[in-house]
Amino acid sequence: MKLKCQLKGAKCPPYSHEGEFQPDNATITGLLPDLRRCASCIAYGSPSLPAFRDDLIQIASVTLIKKGPAFNPLHESGASFGTFIRPRICGSLMDAKHKEVRHHERECSECYMRSDVDKTLNQNDNAGKDIDLILNVPDANAECFVDRIIWEISVANFKKVLPQLIEALTHREQQVFACIREDMSNCDIAKMLKLSPPRISQLVRNVEQKLRKECQTLGLIE
């Protein structure tokens, strides 16, 4: 994979490392500046998605942890660790951004479709109000997923395991989860966290999936 920095005048970070790669805290912390540079390069490159930078840093870190140990310092090619890891991190970040852009395009398309539907239904005020209620939730036939999970494991147990459930979420997902528990809509969460509505929708799905998986792991729900 041939790397090309997305930002004018930028250069790929060195990812300097000697010997076998061990993904311990000290090693990862030392490479954080390089991870941030790669995340910024992809986030601010065209099309610019600055709000996605924090997520890209996390993706870059996970890629480093997963792929780094495969580096062989004694390989006959004599390649450095930077030469080995840069295309893997760059590829992961570009793939994640492409998916985010496609998701955003789909969301925008749905918004245009929703706008056309709303114009038609505005002829009937009551019908317009009803459709707004339906369109403001991910599933028209479901309650808030937090309410469903609490119902399934009981309020008492939910409060008991809540700290452990929160630990399963990233910092950004924890912020979204806190807003959800305050009954905030996706639009309000997007404004508060200064993220795009499509990104909030994705984070909400991540939160639901992670919480449900954690509850299943703990044997609280089926």
PDB file of all heavy atoms in Angstrom, residues 23-38:
ATOM      1  N   PRO A  23       2.683  -4.834  23.056  1.00  0.00           N
ATOM      2  CA  PRO A  23       1.670  -3.777  23.225  1.00  0.00           C
ATOM      3  C   PRO A  23       1.365  -3.451  24.685  1.00  0.00           C
ATOM      4  O   PRO A  23       0.244  -3.576  25.155  1.00  0.00           O
ATOM      5  CB  PRO A  23       0.444  -4.379  22.526  1.00  0.00           C
ATOM      6  CG  PRO A  23       0.605  -5.846  22.723  1.00  0.00           C
ATOM      7  CD  PRO A  23       2.091  -6.111  22.638  1.00  0.00           C
ATOM      8  N   ASP A  24       2.400  -3.037  25.440  1.00  0.00           N
ATOM      9  CA  ASP A  24       2.175  -2.645  26.832  1.00  0.00           C
ATOM     10  C   ASP A  24       1.879  -1.148  26.901  1.00  0.00           C
ATOM     11  O   ASP A  24       2.004  -0.417  25.914  1.00  0.00           O
ATOM     12  CB  ASP A  24       3.392  -2.993  27.696  1.00  0.00           C
ATOM     13  CG  ASP A  24       4.685  -2.459  27.108  1.00  0.00           C
ATOM     14  OD1 ASP A  24       4.734  -1.256  26.770  1.00  0.00           O
ATOM     15  OD2 ASP A  24       5.641  -3.239  26.961  1.00  0.00           O
ATOM     16  N   ASN A  25       1.490  -0.679  28.083  1.00  0.00           N
ATOM     17  CA  ASN A  25       1.083   0.718  28.242  1.00  0.00           C
ATOM     18  C   ASN A  25       2.188   1.697  27.870  1.00  0.00           C
ATOM     19  O   ASN A  25       1.937   2.721  27.224  1.00  0.00           O
ATOM     20  CB  ASN A  25       0.640   0.969  29.689  1.00  0.00           C
ATOM     21  CG  ASN A  25      -0.682   0.307  30.013  1.00  0.00           C
ATOM     22  OD1 ASN A  25      -1.489   0.063  29.117  1.00  0.00           O
ATOM     23  ND2 ASN A  25      -0.924   0.005  31.270  1.00  0.00           N
ATOM     24  N   ALA A  26       3.415   1.397  28.283  1.00  0.00           N
ATOM     25  CA  ALA A  26       4.526   2.319  28.016  1.00  0.00           C
ATOM     26  C   ALA A  26       4.764   2.465  26.516  1.00  0.00           C
ATOM     27  O   ALA A  26       4.975   3.582  26.008  1.00  0.00           O
ATOM     28  CB  ALA A  26       5.790   1.811  28.705  1.00  0.00           C
ATOM     29  N   THR A  27       4.740   1.343  25.797  1.00  0.00           N
ATOM     30  CA  THR A  27       4.981   1.379  24.354  1.00  0.00           C
ATOM     31  C   THR A  27       3.878   2.134  23.621  1.00  0.00           C
ATOM     32  O   THR A  27       4.148   2.977  22.757  1.00  0.00           O
ATOM     33  CB  THR A  27       5.077  -0.052  23.788  1.00  0.00           C
ATOM     34  OG1 THR A  27       6.121  -0.755  24.464  1.00  0.00           O
ATOM     35  CG2 THR A  27       5.379  -0.023  22.300  1.00  0.00           C
ATOM     36  N   ILE A  28       2.629   1.844  23.969  1.00  0.00           N
ATOM     37  CA  ILE A  28       1.492   2.509  23.314  1.00  0.00           C
ATOM     38  C   ILE A  28       1.512   4.002  23.609  1.00  0.00           C
ATOM     39  O   ILE A  28       1.299   4.832  22.717  1.00  0.00           O
ATOM     40  CB  ILE A  28       0.158   1.893  23.771  1.00  0.00           C
ATOM     41  CG1 ILE A  28       0.113   0.403  23.438  1.00  0.00           C
ATOM     42  CG2 ILE A  28      -1.009   2.612  23.102  1.00  0.00           C
ATOM     43  CD1 ILE A  28       0.288   0.078  21.981  1.00  0.00           C
ATOM     44  N   THR A  29       1.786   4.363  24.874  1.00  0.00           N
ATOM     45  CA  THR A  29       1.830   5.777  25.248  1.00  0.00           C
ATOM     46  C   THR A  29       2.905   6.516  24.471  1.00  0.00           C
ATOM     47  O   THR A  29       2.706   7.648  24.024  1.00  0.00           O
ATOM     48  CB  THR A  29       2.101   5.921  26.762  1.00  0.00           C
ATOM     49  OG1 THR A  29       1.048   5.272  27.491  1.00  0.00           O
ATOM     50  CG2 THR A  29       2.151   7.387  27.166  1.00  0.00           C
ATOM     51  N   GLY A  30       4.054   5.873  24.280  1.00  0.00           N
ATOM     52  CA  GLY A  30       5.138   6.499  23.538  1.00  0.00           C
ATOM     53  C   GLY A  30       4.806   6.745  22.082  1.00  0.00           C
ATOM     54  O   GLY A  30       5.362   7.658  21.453  1.00  0.00           O
ATOM     55  N   LEU A  31       3.910   5.956  21.533  1.00  0.00           N
ATOM     56  CA  LEU A  31       3.540   6.093  20.121  1.00  0.00           C
ATOM     57  C   LEU A  31       2.251   6.890  19.909  1.00  0.00           C
ATOM     58  O   LEU A  31       1.811   7.069  18.767  1.00  0.00           O
ATOM     59  CB  LEU A  31       3.385   4.700  19.489  1.00  0.00           C
ATOM     60  CG  LEU A  31       4.682   3.885  19.363  1.00  0.00           C
ATOM     61  CD1 LEU A  31       4.383   2.473  18.853  1.00  0.00           C
ATOM     62  CD2 LEU A  31       5.669   4.578  18.428  1.00  0.00           C
ATOM     63  N   LEU A  32       1.659   7.371  20.990  1.00  0.00           N
ATOM     64  CA  LEU A  32       0.411   8.141  20.878  1.00  0.00           C
ATOM     65  C   LEU A  32       0.537   9.373  19.974  1.00  0.00           C
ATOM     66  O   LEU A  32      -0.381   9.658  19.192  1.00  0.00           O
ATOM     67  CB  LEU A  32      -0.091   8.558  22.265  1.00  0.00           C
ATOM     68  CG  LEU A  32      -1.038   7.588  22.958  1.00  0.00           C
ATOM     69  CD1 LEU A  32      -1.417   8.092  24.342  1.00  0.00           C
ATOM     70  CD2 LEU A  32      -2.290   7.351  22.118  1.00  0.00           C
ATOM     71  N   PRO A  33       1.645  10.139  20.060  1.00  0.00           N
ATOM     72  CA  PRO A  33       1.763  11.293  19.148  1.00  0.00           C
ATOM     73  C   PRO A  33       1.680  10.876  17.681  1.00  0.00           C
ATOM     74  O   PRO A  33       1.062  11.574  16.863  1.00  0.00           O
ATOM     75  CB  PRO A  33       3.145  11.864  19.490  1.00  0.00           C
ATOM     76  CG  PRO A  33       3.364  11.465  20.919  1.00  0.00           C
ATOM     77  CD  PRO A  33       2.762  10.085  21.015  1.00  0.00           C
ATOM     78  N   ASP A  34       2.287   9.735  17.345  1.00  0.00           N
ATOM     79  CA  ASP A  34       2.228   9.251  15.968  1.00  0.00           C
ATOM     80  C   ASP A  34       0.807   8.829  15.603  1.00  0.00           C
ATOM     81  O   ASP A  34       0.325   9.091  14.494  1.00  0.00           O
ATOM     82  CB  ASP A  34       3.170   8.069  15.782  1.00  0.00           C
ATOM     83  CG  ASP A  34       4.641   8.482  15.889  1.00  0.00           C
ATOM     84  OD1 ASP A  34       4.904   9.690  16.043  1.00  0.00           O
ATOM     85  OD2 ASP A  34       5.508   7.605  15.841  1.00  0.00           O
ATOM     86  N   LEU A  35       0.121   8.173  16.542  1.00  0.00           N
ATOM     87  CA  LEU A  35      -1.254   7.738  16.305  1.00  0.00           C
ATOM     88  C   LEU A  35      -2.158   8.941  16.078  1.00  0.00           C
ATOM     89  O   LEU A  35      -3.027   8.929  15.201  1.00  0.00           O
ATOM     90  CB  LEU A  35      -1.757   6.919  17.500  1.00  0.00           C
ATOM     91  CG  LEU A  35      -1.067   5.570  17.730  1.00  0.00           C
ATOM     92  CD1 LEU A  35      -1.473   4.995  19.088  1.00  0.00           C
ATOM     93  CD2 LEU A  35      -1.417   4.586  16.627  1.00  0.00           C
ATOM     94  N   ARG A  36      -1.951   9.989  16.865  1.00  0.00           N
ATOM     95  CA  ARG A  36      -2.773  11.192  16.729  1.00  0.00           C
ATOM     96  C   ARG A  36      -2.525  11.880  15.385  1.00  0.00           C
ATOM     97  O   ARG A  36      -3.452  12.403  14.764  1.00  0.00           O
ATOM     98  CB  ARG A  36      -2.466  12.162  17.875  1.00  0.00           C
ATOM     99  CG  ARG A  36      -2.906  11.669  19.253  1.00  0.00           C
ATOM    100  CD  ARG A  36      -2.853  12.786  20.276  1.00  0.00           C
ATOM    101  NE  ARG A  36      -3.230  12.332  21.600  1.00  0.00           N
ATOM    102  CZ  ARG A  36      -2.369  12.087  22.583  1.00  0.00           C
ATOM    103  NH1 ARG A  36      -1.073  12.258  22.388  1.00  0.00           N
ATOM    104  NH2 ARG A  36      -2.790  11.674  23.763  1.00  0.00           N
ATOM    105  N   ARG A  37      -1.273  11.879  14.936  1.00  0.00           N
ATOM    106  CA  ARG A  37      -0.970  12.498  13.644  1.00  0.00           C
ATOM    107  C   ARG A  37      -1.671  11.768  12.504  1.00  0.00           C
ATOM    108  O   ARG A  37      -2.235  12.391  11.594  1.00  0.00           O
ATOM    109  CB  ARG A  37       0.545  12.497  13.419  1.00  0.00           C
ATOM    110  CG  ARG A  37       1.276  13.607  14.164  1.00  0.00           C
ATOM    111  CD  ARG A  37       2.776  13.467  14.028  1.00  0.00           C
ATOM    112  NE  ARG A  37       3.230  13.497  12.647  1.00  0.00           N
ATOM    113  CZ  ARG A  37       4.490  13.308  12.273  1.00  0.00           C
ATOM    114  NH1 ARG A  37       5.415  13.069  13.199  1.00  0.00           N
ATOM    115  NH2 ARG A  37       4.831  13.350  10.997  1.00  0.00           N
ATOM    116  N   CYS A  38      -1.660  10.443  12.550  1.00  0.00           N
ATOM    117  CA  CYS A  38      -2.338   9.673  11.504  1.00  0.00           C
ATOM    118  C   CYS A  38      -3.845   9.893  11.548  1.00  0.00           C
ATOM    119  O   CYS A  38      -4.490  10.044  10.515  1.00  0.00           O
ATOM    120  CB  CYS A  38      -2.017   8.183  11.666  1.00  0.00           C
ATOM    121  SG  CYS A  38      -0.376   7.717  11.070  1.00  0.00           S
TER     122      CYS A  38
END
